[in-house]
Amino acid sequence: MHLKYIKEIIKADVLAYEPGLELEINTAFGSDLMSDVLAYVEDDTLLITGLTNQQVIRTAEMLDLKAILFVRGKKPCNEMISLAEDKKILLMSTKESLFTVSGILYNNGLRGISI
Amino acid sequence: MNTYMKNESNVAMKLHYDISKDDFSRAGEASSKIKNMLRQLAIEANILRRIAIATYEAEINLVIHSLGGTIDVYIKPDCIEIYVEDVGPGIENIELAMTKGFSTATAVAREMGFGAGMGLPNMEKVSDEFIIESTIGVGTQIKMVVTY
């Protein structure tokens, strides 16, 4: 699914690396546990999380993830934004909850990873 | 069972990083550098990913649990060897520590998204060879090998 399309259907704000909107992801994974993300997520996955700290960006970097969507109105700090720009990782934010956003994306055809 | 020992044979290149305890803001920097270096050496993406997970979980563990430690990466013609050594409290029950979900991490670590009890199991999962040794009150040593 095109990340630009995801941005539109959930009305997300772009916070870092806007060129990333042109890319596509195949699956999504929602979690605040970065170790679970490291355990299960393959690349081409959208990470959906309410956790905002440097380790979220680092986790995405380790897994070559292209995009992170922050839920519940969480906004990453400036250091996170500049690290994401540096690593070419698209950061988006939405006011909706993890559950609601996941439901909207699922309804539009996006699926989770297989565990 | 194999014992922890650095294998100095056929090393093409060595990388060494010192990791400080409680330095959460910089946690992941060493793993990032290792990943970038290996990418420049044209290591295949899937191998790169496994090494990144192994070193990153190890780095986080050093920050959370140890009094400080080191990560050494030996780049060899047929594999990458990762050696993690720390000075710290040691692990009382390694079998328990290797169980998914078991953790002794602090609230601070949990706020960072870790301490879910997945670190050591993750490291073992991505390694072709995994050796862990620990002495209470002294420290822990881990060897991980990822074969191309």
Side-chain angles (χ1 to χ4, degrees), chain B residues 2 9 33 36 42 44 51 57 63 67-69 73 82 88 104-105 109 111 116 120 126 135:
Chain B
N2 292 326
S9 66
K33 285 178 188 159
N36 286 335
E44 193 229 320
I51 292 161
E57 289 282 15
V63 171
L67 298 173
V73 180
I82 303 155
T104 59
E111 279 166 21
L120 289 174
V126 298
T135 309

Side-chain angles (χ1 to χ4, degrees), chain B residues 50-62:
Chain B
R50 287 165 59 197
I51 292 161
I53 293 170
T55 56
Y56 185 49
E57 289 282 15
E59 192 175 352
I60 294 290
N61 270 358
L62 292 180

Side-chain angles (χ1 to χ4, degrees), chain B residues 47-119:
Chain B
I47 299 289
L48 205 58
R49 191 174 160 278
R50 287 165 59 197
I51 292 161
I53 293 170
T55 56
Y56 185 49
E57 289 282 15
E59 192 175 352
I60 294 290
N61 270 358
L62 292 180
V63 171
I64 294 174
H65 298 286
S66 83
L67 298 173
T70 55
I71 298 176
D72 287 279
V73 180
Y74 286 12
I75 300 161
K76 298 193 172 186
D78 59 339
C79 69
I80 304 282
E81 293 170 358
I82 303 155
Y83 297 95
V84 186
E85 300 179 358
D86 76 26
V87 175
I91 300 170
E92 198 173 322
N93 183 336
I94 288 179
E95 200 181 328
L96 193 58
M98 293 300 301
T99 308
K100 283 183 184 176
F102 177 82
S103 177
T104 59
T106 60
V108 179
R110 288 172 201 273
E111 279 166 21
M112 302 300 290
F114 292 91
M118 293 298 287

Side-chain angles (χ1 to χ4, degrees), chain A residues 1-18:
Chain A
M1 188 177 281
H2 217 244
L3 283 159
K4 190 182 272 177
Y5 178 63
I6 289 175
K7 175 195 179 299
E8 281 165 15
I9 56 177
I10 58 174
K11 300 179 185 67
D13 297 323
V14 175
L15 307 173
Y17 197 62
E18 196 155 1

Side-chain angles (χ1 to χ4, degrees), chain A residues 57-58 61 65 82-89, chain B residues 32 36:
Chain A
I57 315 290
R58 287 293 182 199
E61 181 197 355
L65 303 185
S82 71
L83 185 61
E85 290 280 354
D86 194 34
K87 302 298 175 187
K88 297 188 168 62
I89 298 168
Chain B
S32 176
N36 286 335

Side-chain angles (χ1 to χ4, degrees), chain A residues 16-81:
Chain A
Y17 197 62
E18 196 155 1
L21 285 173
E22 302 305 322
L23 302 172
E24 289 197 17
I25 48 97
N26 295 325
T27 50
F29 187 80
S31 179
D32 288 355
L33 288 175
M34 291 304 111
S35 273
D36 275 0
V37 177
L38 287 163
Y40 300 119
V41 173
E42 304 275 331
D43 52 4
D44 295 331
T45 299
L46 171 67
L47 172 58
I48 310 174
T49 185
L51 192 69
T52 45
N53 63 53
Q54 205 82 333
Q55 299 316 318
V56 179
I57 315 290
R58 287 293 182 199
T59 299
E61 181 197 355
M62 294 306 145
L63 296 171
D64 295 323
L65 303 185
K66 296 166 186 157
I68 303 169
L69 172 62
F70 297 103
V71 294
R72 309 191 287 273
K74 297 285 179 71
K75 293 273 166 72
C77 62
N78 289 339
E79 286 80 12
M80 285 177 69
I81 289 171

Side-chain angles (χ1 to χ4, degrees), chain B residues 4 7-8 10 21 29 35 42 50 84 86-87 91 97-98 105-106 109 114 140 144 146:
Chain B
Y4 177 93
N7 181 350
E8 303 288 343
N10 277 328
K21 69 163 192 160
E29 275 185 18
K35 192 177 184 197
R50 287 165 59 197
V84 186
D86 76 26
V87 175
I91 300 170
M98 293 300 301
T106 60
F114 292 91
T140 300
M144 293 176 280
V146 177

